[in-house]
Amino acid sequence: MNDSHYCPHTPEEIREMLSVAGASSVEELFAPIPPELRAKTFNIPPGMSEFETFARMQAIAADNSAAMVNFIGGGFYDHIIPAVVDHLSGRAEFYTAYTPYQPECSQGTLQALFEYQTAICRLTGMEVSNASLYDGATACAEAAMMALRVTGRTRIVVDGCVSPFSRQVLKTYLYNQAVEVVEIAPLDGLLNRAALAACLDEHVAAVLVQNPNFFGCIEDLSPLAEQVHAAGALLVASVYPISLGIITSPGEMGVDIAVGDGQSLGNPLSFGGPSFGFLAAKKAFIRNMPGRIVGETVDKNGKRGFVLTLQAREQHIKRHKATSNICSNQGLCALRGLIFLSAVGREGVADLARLNRDKAEYAKARLAGIPGVTVLPSAPTFNEFTVFLPKPAAPVVAELLKQGIAPGVPLEDYYEDSANALVVTVTEKRTKKEIDWLTEALRAEL
Amino acid sequence: MNDSHYCPHTPEEIREMLSVAGASSVEELFAPIPPELRAKTFNIPPGMSEFETFARMQAIAADNSAAMVNFIGGGFYDHIIPAVVDHLSGRAEFYTAYTPYQPECSQGTLQALFEYQTAICRLTGMEVSNASLYDGATACAEAAMMALRVTGRTRIVVDGCVSPFSRQVLKTYLYNQAVEVVEIAPLDGLLNRAALAACLDEHVAAVLVQNPNFFGCIEDLSPLAEQVHAAGALLVASVYPISLGIITSPGEMGVDIAVGDGQSLGNPLSFGGPSFGFLAAKKAFIRNMPGRIVGETVDKNGKRGFVLTLQAREQHIKRHKATSNICSNQGLCALRGLIFLSAVGREGVADLARLNRDKAEYAKARLAGIPGVTVLPSAPTFNEFTVFLPKPAAPVVAELLKQGIAPGVPLEDYYEDSANALVVTVTEKRTKKEIDWLTEALRAEL
Amino acid sequence: MELIYEKSVPGRRGVKLPASDVPPAPPLPEGLLRTEPAGLAEVSELDLVRHFTNLSRLNFSVDTNFYPLGSCTMKYNAKVLENAAVLFVPFHPMTALLPGGGEFCQGSLGMLYDLGQMLADITGMDEVTTQPLAGAHGEMTGILLISAYHRAKGNRKKYVVVPDSSHGTNPASATIAGYEIITVPTAPYGDMDLELFRQAMSDEVAAVMMTCPNTLGLFNPHIKEICDIAHSFGALMYYDGANLNAIMGKVKPGDVGFDVVHVNLHKTFGTPHGGGGPGAGPVGVKKALIPFLPQPRIDMDDEGTFVLQTSRPGSIGRAANFFGNFGIMVRAYAYIIMLGREGLIQVSEQAVLNANYIKERLKPYYDLPYDQTCMHECVFSASRQLAHGVHAIDIAKFLIDRGYHPPTVYFPLIVKEAIMIEPTETESKAAMDAFIDVMIEAARTAESDPQAVLDAPLTMPVSRLDETKAAREQHVCYLG
Amino acid sequence: MELIYEKSVPGRRGVKLPASDVPPAPPLPEGLLRTEPAGLAEVSELDLVRHFTNLSRLNFSVDTNFYPLGSCTMKYNAKVLENAAVLFVPFHPMTALLPGGGEFCQGSLGMLYDLGQMLADITGMDEVTTQPLAGAHGEMTGILLISAYHRAKGNRKKYVVVPDSSHGTNPASATIAGYEIITVPTAPYGDMDLELFRQAMSDEVAAVMMTCPNTLGLFNPHIKEICDIAHSFGALMYYDGANLNAIMGKVKPGDVGFDVVHVNLHKTFGTPHGGGGPGAGPVGVKKALIPFLPQPRIDMDDEGTFVLQTSRPGSIGRAANFFGNFGIMVRAYAYIIMLGREGLIQVSEQAVLNANYIKERLKPYYDLPYDQTCMHECVFSASRQLAHGVHAIDIAKFLIDRGYHPPTVYFPLIVKEAIMIEPTETESKAAMDAFIDVMIEAARTAESDPQAVLDAPLTMPVSRLDETKAAREQHVCYLG
């Protein structure tokens, strides 16, 4: 009976409990299920011990290749994670708690999320932040839906320079809603502002851009914000949080809703998740925000404390009228983001951003020195940039992977007429030696 | 100035503090050190970031060979460690605390050590246990010194079947004391009882044996205990704690002081440490025990609590009259041992011991099937046994290591005329497949 | 406790960054160059550690307290699962999307494939997508699949039907998926009113979303009939897997007639809740909906190699970046293979046994509006205590002072002063008995000294908090 | 809190063992076969986790509280060091002792070699053994080395001289090493009385054991003279490295004249104290003592390969199994290479600055028997508070209620009602200021309301415990 130590009862205890429950067997408790509905098969393999389970998982992990020098990004970035992040987010009281519905016994989570919201506000230059969304892509979709609610309009304009994954997710979210999504094709790796001007009208709820964009280019969004606001729409920007160490914040640029993926803030690559999405906005829009929000208040003795607030926006209260369907979010990943940002700190985040850019600029110069390779010159970049090879990128990438280098993301799958284009990412973890290796390996393939 | 983030002060704070301290520079605070004594060189390399440090440590670890199937023991054993052991002993409140001198704010450590002492008593069948010693070898030496104190005698008799490492440590401890150490050469891998009888006299404080011994053999110590007690000496036995799941406990066999190494109880191999030594004894000897002891008591409201007790034995009170010089012990490793034993539990420790023996007996039969290989037949064994190869063991071992198998420990370095002997260890982690591989690899070398 | 920002000292650093081994780049042009650094905390590593370690100690959690939060399945999260997740930390998801990159990710891709297969077996579905990032995200994805299905058939449908006892996420998710909601009341016997359901159905209904067992912890004996009725109108049946912990190996939603199901890995499959997430919400579907599943999909080719399909024309697209909350799926996968067939059955059996045990033991002290054999949870009402001015929330606060996380209160909405208890299978009888004693003490104190209950909690870092003030002042970012 | 044994239920299991893939062996013969299983706890994994997690929360620790425990150097233990130690978990130490096995352990052996070299540089010694498992174990090893040295020279010596302010381990260790102890009192200026020391010296003295700075936190200005005097009698100087944190890069014991030194890795080099251990106590020696070092020794051959020497004739033998507390050495090694030259110097500078800051701030409130510039710690006396019936131990308990681990009290024995404060370099000014405020509050409360101090602590899981009862009843094993 006691096959698993995760079901602790002994046969004696089960007998006692059955007698209280007035049943002669556990099976009897399943009597409410009509016999004809009962499962006829159940093909899960037999269980195993913890030791065997872990050995199996090690074997699976060993079927991946760990020895890969990453010059790839595209939404997830290979950044340092200070040891404190694992140690502190690994405190059982954080990771085995639930959503802090009972604030008196959840002040740890609540205060941390309040601090997280503050960190996001300060990093993005926005006034209010929620307590996390799923990831950067769904955060774009949530921001778009938020703009639809705020403006009461029905169209979303998306810059084609936004990550193709984010654009796909946005379209999925809006798949069956009475909303039109208009995409503007990139122009030399930048937003085509003329095309945008042409489609800005009274139906447009929001314009969604990304900065730096998928090609790595950084744009000054301030003029764009004016243009968008003049049309009565909101400007939504997806940003790379580490880059905000040196790039003017979306708040300062006039953005209305800033979103992004928090993976780079202390969350491991982990084959794509979990990560978290952040969403910060001007305070005026707070009641239209999706997701949990933590607010400061006082207890009945006047002592400071924190609670989930503005819950009247949420699904467990408002059901189909909620601002979002989010219930579980990515609280623990947001906590990791907070710990990361607090470890790196005010000066450190600027240093870290500079280090990324320095490495990327070095790599850019090295790669540009390879005969036949050119760099997309449109705009300054942060830690990603686009190069054009003298021949199609895909087979070159496939070849370098075999040598243990992931040299970048070919754009072929995402943009037309871009077979030779490659987006190269260089984080602070990449050494000069690795960059030089990439250069030589690439040179040899071309 | 602020080179390391482990020294948190900012230059402003340093100025403020210096002004309070009445010094114009930090250097001035070192004025009490005569100038001529000041360090002239300091050749430690420049520091590095956490990320670089960890990368360096990874590179060092990668210079070891991790892919080794271990059939070696000799004091450290490759056993399973349930995940809970790391998670719970990794609680910062346990590992960043000090020795629990202030009991009110150290009940966590104190209660755990009380529970540890209880687990050791129950496993060994002894009445009292201390709160850990350094390792199994030093525990043998401490037990010998304890017997010298208890009996007031001056000679220690050691069975040559005791681990050579433990015997060497014992001799080192007694190196400069007015104590004689007599070793009895093994007879067919067992204690030479006739030789022992010949040297048991009124000078002998203790007889030290190991069970199972270094050859893997298990002996019934009960008759020996009678013999030793008749001579007015104490019987000290070093035991392998996992084996006590199925082997009669030293307490039941009449042993006076039971010691051993706790590595097998939830402590990783970790290239030899940290581990812990345990020491348990008959209650009559408690005041002569070395090391910390935790006792139950009550607080001033009658509530149960735990304290370090019998501290009058210890060096911080008794100085040169202390029962031992121990201050730091291996508390955290002992905690791991307790968690391990509590996870495995009463029935589990017997199952685990049986599993070890089943695997070892299977291996023994397989190896015995190789032409020219014979098994030392003297006594039953637990999870280690001695085989004789048809040729010297050392080159065979060297060859198998290259294939990724550590097939056993050759006895050549430790016993005369044993060039062909090999002690093979098989824990529950070794699979049938691995044992079969060992068999075939060995067969191929012979 | 002070905020981390209140502990901040200008110039202090918590981590030393790697030294640069490349020349500094010229700065960004003005306008793009941030002028004022972001006002992040400036603390030492020790300050940071002490701050967050002490913050953690202000929480109740499964590892420190019994946490019988109904409908949340706060079971114990085995530690080996955390260790398993760490094994996959180094792998970049983009690798799998590179030309020839799949070869370097066979472990991860194969695990996702296998997990999908096992979840399909558990739920009785034909194929599973592991992309959705949470239960509600799975709901949205599932309803979008249903909309794609109807669209492909040329059906024009505008409604989704939900019972009034459903989780709030059900109607909220269906709304994002573009549907209007029809809510069907619960009948006095504790299930969706069958007659009213019939009346609600029409050809314009795209889907019916059900939890079974429902949020009262009751298995609906008419569930098959409901499925049949829905199908007769061309509607599909959506199974909210939040309560799957009750029925593993006992009944499969697919066998009953459900067409789409989501699974909460952080409930049934033992992954931790993280103080609110991350979870994961894989979605299983019947054959007819497979063409619409999100991409990339993972297939196994003839040689046993796992390959990505990134462009299936019928797909609803991408529900999220990359491969979902991969680390959560590692944990769930390890959980399933560790417990195995018998272990999972035992989970459901003991979850149900525990809930019935608590239900019977507490029945004399609290109103039990639907007095039946329950599944994995049971719902009481504090209506008897209300006579003394004590609400469900007061009982909850009383429990906190005794070291118990309260059950879910005020849900489902159909029970007045609801107290929803889900012990899960991992709690021992001793833990439940101690909880029951405190619940009985609460009931007695509510009669004998109601003020003592109203004053609780007294032992926590804060007493009851002013939520109105929080909502009014919207102080959601530290301004110091 | 209940004991784990009180939570035990017969038949319950905390971990599932691997299934056997071999046939069962016939049982052991009677007499060898245990008849009654060992009475270990029988709990589920959840019970186990909740028990130990909650136990942990009853402790103060560096990660949760300021812990200025004098002479223990309770500095912050960087988290990356813990991660580094995990990297070495899989390696069996016996591998290195197998024929040809060293080849498979070059990483571990090389790290030990390098650590020895760096510790030799820090202490000014010629060679280091990393085998000793703790400070006291290092002391014993060091004195044994001295005894071997004397023996080899044919010297017959029987005494070891220690000052009365020394750590208790010094005389205890020297006793194990076979010597009798001569104790020299402290002079009014806070150091060992130089005149009495001269009188104590003779040709029969084998060694003089000193801590410098001493346990009052004072650097002995006569230390060179003491070394010279000792050497003139053929005695060797032993340096107790417990207080090394004060002087890294500032002064090297070897330069001063010490011949043997032990280092507490768990103090100066940032490895955690583990609630009492494990630590590590490497020992450095001058050239003349190298032949006697314990074995196995690690050498580097001409090709840069690290090899073991297992049979050096003069060696005192083995101090412990294998290679000492290897995991602790990994942490210390990572600590040293991370902080580097400048970092280590800064450690000592700020440790000294912090101690002097606290000393000056508290001087108005507590007697400071030796009012000098101190090194890394300072020793007050509660003698002024004693006038109100408040002892050092009462001040200690008062601090506990305010969230501070008390300083060391009643040590060194030469200071009446000693309060020995060692802040370490890792504490921020804010943390020290808050501690100072509470110390001042304690001094004031001792005057204004001494009973309030005597009643402390009130906020802990237990109030003051009956230690006499514990020692009398010797209840050291649960008998239930």
PDB file of all heavy atoms in Angstrom, chain A residues 413-430:
ATOM      1  N   ASP A 413      14.754  32.595 -41.212  1.00  0.00           N
ATOM      2  CA  ASP A 413      13.440  32.072 -40.843  1.00  0.00           C
ATOM      3  C   ASP A 413      12.454  33.175 -40.467  1.00  0.00           C
ATOM      4  O   ASP A 413      11.253  32.922 -40.359  1.00  0.00           O
ATOM      5  CB  ASP A 413      13.560  31.136 -39.638  1.00  0.00           C
ATOM      6  CG  ASP A 413      14.206  29.810 -40.001  1.00  0.00           C
ATOM      7  OD1 ASP A 413      14.350  29.561 -41.215  1.00  0.00           O
ATOM      8  OD2 ASP A 413      14.560  29.054 -39.088  1.00  0.00           O
ATOM      9  N   TYR A 414      12.960  34.359 -40.215  1.00  0.00           N
ATOM     10  CA  TYR A 414      12.093  35.389 -39.645  1.00  0.00           C
ATOM     11  C   TYR A 414      11.848  36.577 -40.563  1.00  0.00           C
ATOM     12  O   TYR A 414      10.872  37.308 -40.379  1.00  0.00           O
ATOM     13  CB  TYR A 414      12.690  35.874 -38.312  1.00  0.00           C
ATOM     14  CG  TYR A 414      13.071  34.718 -37.407  1.00  0.00           C
ATOM     15  CD1 TYR A 414      14.390  34.406 -37.129  1.00  0.00           C
ATOM     16  CD2 TYR A 414      12.067  33.887 -36.874  1.00  0.00           C
ATOM     17  CE1 TYR A 414      14.724  33.334 -36.333  1.00  0.00           C
ATOM     18  CE2 TYR A 414      12.403  32.799 -36.078  1.00  0.00           C
ATOM     19  CZ  TYR A 414      13.737  32.525 -35.803  1.00  0.00           C
ATOM     20  OH  TYR A 414      14.059  31.453 -35.023  1.00  0.00           O
ATOM     21  N   TYR A 415      12.736  36.792 -41.524  1.00  0.00           N
ATOM     22  CA  TYR A 415      12.587  37.932 -42.426  1.00  0.00           C
ATOM     23  C   TYR A 415      12.903  37.503 -43.843  1.00  0.00           C
ATOM     24  O   TYR A 415      13.862  36.736 -44.067  1.00  0.00           O
ATOM     25  CB  TYR A 415      13.517  39.088 -42.019  1.00  0.00           C
ATOM     26  CG  TYR A 415      13.159  39.667 -40.680  1.00  0.00           C
ATOM     27  CD1 TYR A 415      13.816  39.258 -39.529  1.00  0.00           C
ATOM     28  CD2 TYR A 415      12.119  40.597 -40.556  1.00  0.00           C
ATOM     29  CE1 TYR A 415      13.466  39.757 -38.292  1.00  0.00           C
ATOM     30  CE2 TYR A 415      11.758  41.103 -39.314  1.00  0.00           C
ATOM     31  CZ  TYR A 415      12.440  40.681 -38.180  1.00  0.00           C
ATOM     32  OH  TYR A 415      12.085  41.163 -36.957  1.00  0.00           O
ATOM     33  N   GLU A 416      12.170  38.030 -44.767  1.00  0.00           N
ATOM     34  CA  GLU A 416      12.427  37.707 -46.165  1.00  0.00           C
ATOM     35  C   GLU A 416      13.744  38.323 -46.622  1.00  0.00           C
ATOM     36  O   GLU A 416      14.178  39.344 -46.101  1.00  0.00           O
ATOM     37  CB  GLU A 416      11.286  38.254 -47.031  1.00  0.00           C
ATOM     38  CG  GLU A 416      10.063  37.350 -46.942  1.00  0.00           C
ATOM     39  CD  GLU A 416       8.901  37.891 -47.762  1.00  0.00           C
ATOM     40  OE1 GLU A 416       9.125  38.799 -48.579  1.00  0.00           O
ATOM     41  OE2 GLU A 416       7.780  37.403 -47.549  1.00  0.00           O
ATOM     42  N   ASP A 417      14.330  37.708 -47.626  1.00  0.00           N
ATOM     43  CA  ASP A 417      15.559  38.228 -48.233  1.00  0.00           C
ATOM     44  C   ASP A 417      16.657  38.480 -47.208  1.00  0.00           C
ATOM     45  O   ASP A 417      17.356  39.494 -47.263  1.00  0.00           O
ATOM     46  CB  ASP A 417      15.266  39.559 -48.980  1.00  0.00           C
ATOM     47  CG  ASP A 417      14.179  39.360 -50.028  1.00  0.00           C
ATOM     48  OD1 ASP A 417      14.139  38.253 -50.618  1.00  0.00           O
ATOM     49  OD2 ASP A 417      13.381  40.291 -50.226  1.00  0.00           O
ATOM     50  N   SER A 418      16.752  37.610 -46.238  1.00  0.00           N
ATOM     51  CA  SER A 418      17.757  37.839 -45.205  1.00  0.00           C
ATOM     52  C   SER A 418      18.636  36.605 -45.010  1.00  0.00           C
ATOM     53  O   SER A 418      19.178  36.386 -43.932  1.00  0.00           O
ATOM     54  CB  SER A 418      17.080  38.196 -43.891  1.00  0.00           C
ATOM     55  OG  SER A 418      16.295  37.100 -43.475  1.00  0.00           O
ATOM     56  N   ALA A 419      18.778  35.837 -46.082  1.00  0.00           N
ATOM     57  CA  ALA A 419      19.495  34.557 -45.948  1.00  0.00           C
ATOM     58  C   ALA A 419      20.907  34.726 -45.397  1.00  0.00           C
ATOM     59  O   ALA A 419      21.424  33.859 -44.706  1.00  0.00           O
ATOM     60  CB  ALA A 419      19.521  33.831 -47.286  1.00  0.00           C
ATOM     61  N   ASN A 420      21.533  35.843 -45.706  1.00  0.00           N
ATOM     62  CA  ASN A 420      22.932  36.016 -45.300  1.00  0.00           C
ATOM     63  C   ASN A 420      23.088  36.713 -43.951  1.00  0.00           C
ATOM     64  O   ASN A 420      24.205  36.921 -43.484  1.00  0.00           O
ATOM     65  CB  ASN A 420      23.697  36.826 -46.355  1.00  0.00           C
ATOM     66  CG  ASN A 420      23.868  36.043 -47.638  1.00  0.00           C
ATOM     67  OD1 ASN A 420      23.203  35.017 -47.839  1.00  0.00           O
ATOM     68  ND2 ASN A 420      24.741  36.511 -48.517  1.00  0.00           N
ATOM     69  N   ALA A 421      21.969  37.098 -43.374  1.00  0.00           N
ATOM     70  CA  ALA A 421      22.045  37.917 -42.143  1.00  0.00           C
ATOM     71  C   ALA A 421      22.102  37.050 -40.896  1.00  0.00           C
ATOM     72  O   ALA A 421      21.460  36.007 -40.809  1.00  0.00           O
ATOM     73  CB  ALA A 421      20.849  38.860 -42.081  1.00  0.00           C
ATOM     74  N   LEU A 422      22.868  37.520 -39.947  1.00  0.00           N
ATOM     75  CA  LEU A 422      23.090  36.798 -38.694  1.00  0.00           C
ATOM     76  C   LEU A 422      23.085  37.822 -37.565  1.00  0.00           C
ATOM     77  O   LEU A 422      23.775  38.833 -37.645  1.00  0.00           O
ATOM     78  CB  LEU A 422      24.457  36.111 -38.782  1.00  0.00           C
ATOM     79  CG  LEU A 422      24.880  35.176 -37.655  1.00  0.00           C
ATOM     80  CD1 LEU A 422      24.061  33.891 -37.696  1.00  0.00           C
ATOM     81  CD2 LEU A 422      26.369  34.855 -37.781  1.00  0.00           C
ATOM     82  N   VAL A 423      22.286  37.544 -36.516  1.00  0.00           N
ATOM     83  CA  VAL A 423      22.322  38.426 -35.348  1.00  0.00           C
ATOM     84  C   VAL A 423      23.246  37.795 -34.307  1.00  0.00           C
ATOM     85  O   VAL A 423      23.041  36.656 -33.890  1.00  0.00           O
ATOM     86  CB  VAL A 423      20.917  38.623 -34.749  1.00  0.00           C
ATOM     87  CG1 VAL A 423      20.998  39.525 -33.504  1.00  0.00           C
ATOM     88  CG2 VAL A 423      19.982  39.226 -35.772  1.00  0.00           C
ATOM     89  N   VAL A 424      24.253  38.539 -33.927  1.00  0.00           N
ATOM     90  CA  VAL A 424      25.270  38.042 -33.005  1.00  0.00           C
ATOM     91  C   VAL A 424      25.074  38.718 -31.646  1.00  0.00           C
ATOM     92  O   VAL A 424      24.896  39.933 -31.570  1.00  0.00           O
ATOM     93  CB  VAL A 424      26.683  38.351 -33.541  1.00  0.00           C
ATOM     94  CG1 VAL A 424      27.751  37.873 -32.562  1.00  0.00           C
ATOM     95  CG2 VAL A 424      26.874  37.732 -34.912  1.00  0.00           C
ATOM     96  N   THR A 425      25.088  37.922 -30.601  1.00  0.00           N
ATOM     97  CA  THR A 425      24.917  38.435 -29.238  1.00  0.00           C
ATOM     98  C   THR A 425      26.195  38.216 -28.448  1.00  0.00           C
ATOM     99  O   THR A 425      26.768  37.122 -28.495  1.00  0.00           O
ATOM    100  CB  THR A 425      23.777  37.669 -28.527  1.00  0.00           C
ATOM    101  OG1 THR A 425      22.605  37.748 -29.331  1.00  0.00           O
ATOM    102  CG2 THR A 425      23.518  38.239 -27.137  1.00  0.00           C
ATOM    103  N   VAL A 426      26.621  39.221 -27.716  1.00  0.00           N
ATOM    104  CA  VAL A 426      27.833  39.095 -26.906  1.00  0.00           C
ATOM    105  C   VAL A 426      27.544  39.640 -25.507  1.00  0.00           C
ATOM    106  O   VAL A 426      27.407  40.845 -25.321  1.00  0.00           O
ATOM    107  CB  VAL A 426      29.015  39.867 -27.527  1.00  0.00           C
ATOM    108  CG1 VAL A 426      30.305  39.503 -26.804  1.00  0.00           C
ATOM    109  CG2 VAL A 426      29.132  39.581 -29.015  1.00  0.00           C
ATOM    110  N   THR A 427      27.454  38.743 -24.548  1.00  0.00           N
ATOM    111  CA  THR A 427      27.222  39.205 -23.173  1.00  0.00           C
ATOM    112  C   THR A 427      28.554  39.356 -22.444  1.00  0.00           C
ATOM    113  O   THR A 427      29.607  39.017 -22.969  1.00  0.00           O
ATOM    114  CB  THR A 427      26.362  38.206 -22.387  1.00  0.00           C
ATOM    115  OG1 THR A 427      27.131  37.017 -22.166  1.00  0.00           O
ATOM    116  CG2 THR A 427      25.075  37.868 -23.108  1.00  0.00           C
ATOM    117  N   GLU A 428      28.458  39.818 -21.210  1.00  0.00           N
ATOM    118  CA  GLU A 428      29.673  40.024 -20.401  1.00  0.00           C
ATOM    119  C   GLU A 428      30.394  38.712 -20.115  1.00  0.00           C
ATOM    120  O   GLU A 428      31.569  38.726 -19.730  1.00  0.00           O
ATOM    121  CB  GLU A 428      29.321  40.720 -19.080  1.00  0.00           C
ATOM    122  CG  GLU A 428      28.673  39.849 -18.001  1.00  0.00           C
ATOM    123  CD  GLU A 428      27.230  39.490 -18.298  1.00  0.00           C
ATOM    124  OE1 GLU A 428      26.651  40.068 -19.242  1.00  0.00           O
ATOM    125  OE2 GLU A 428      26.658  38.641 -17.577  1.00  0.00           O
ATOM    126  N   LYS A 429      29.717  37.587 -20.299  1.00  0.00           N
ATOM    127  CA  LYS A 429      30.362  36.308 -20.003  1.00  0.00           C
ATOM    128  C   LYS A 429      31.325  35.875 -21.104  1.00  0.00           C
ATOM    129  O   LYS A 429      32.163  35.019 -20.885  1.00  0.00           O
ATOM    130  CB  LYS A 429      29.301  35.212 -19.817  1.00  0.00           C
ATOM    131  CG  LYS A 429      28.653  35.235 -18.455  1.00  0.00           C
ATOM    132  CD  LYS A 429      27.534  34.226 -18.340  1.00  0.00           C
ATOM    133  CE  LYS A 429      28.025  32.809 -18.186  1.00  0.00           C
ATOM    134  NZ  LYS A 429      26.895  31.904 -17.809  1.00  0.00           N
ATOM    135  N   ARG A 430      31.165  36.420 -22.261  1.00  0.00           N
ATOM    136  CA  ARG A 430      32.046  36.025 -23.369  1.00  0.00           C
ATOM    137  C   ARG A 430      33.387  36.718 -23.209  1.00  0.00           C
ATOM    138  O   ARG A 430      33.451  37.940 -23.065  1.00  0.00           O
ATOM    139  CB  ARG A 430      31.405  36.410 -24.709  1.00  0.00           C
ATOM    140  CG  ARG A 430      30.119  35.677 -25.064  1.00  0.00           C
ATOM    141  CD  ARG A 430      30.317  34.201 -25.410  1.00  0.00           C
ATOM    142  NE  ARG A 430      30.625  33.353 -24.292  1.00  0.00           N
ATOM    143  CZ  ARG A 430      29.718  32.861 -23.427  1.00  0.00           C
ATOM    144  NH1 ARG A 430      28.445  33.147 -23.555  1.00  0.00           N
ATOM    145  NH2 ARG A 430      30.101  32.093 -22.433  1.00  0.00           N
TER     146      ARG A 430
END
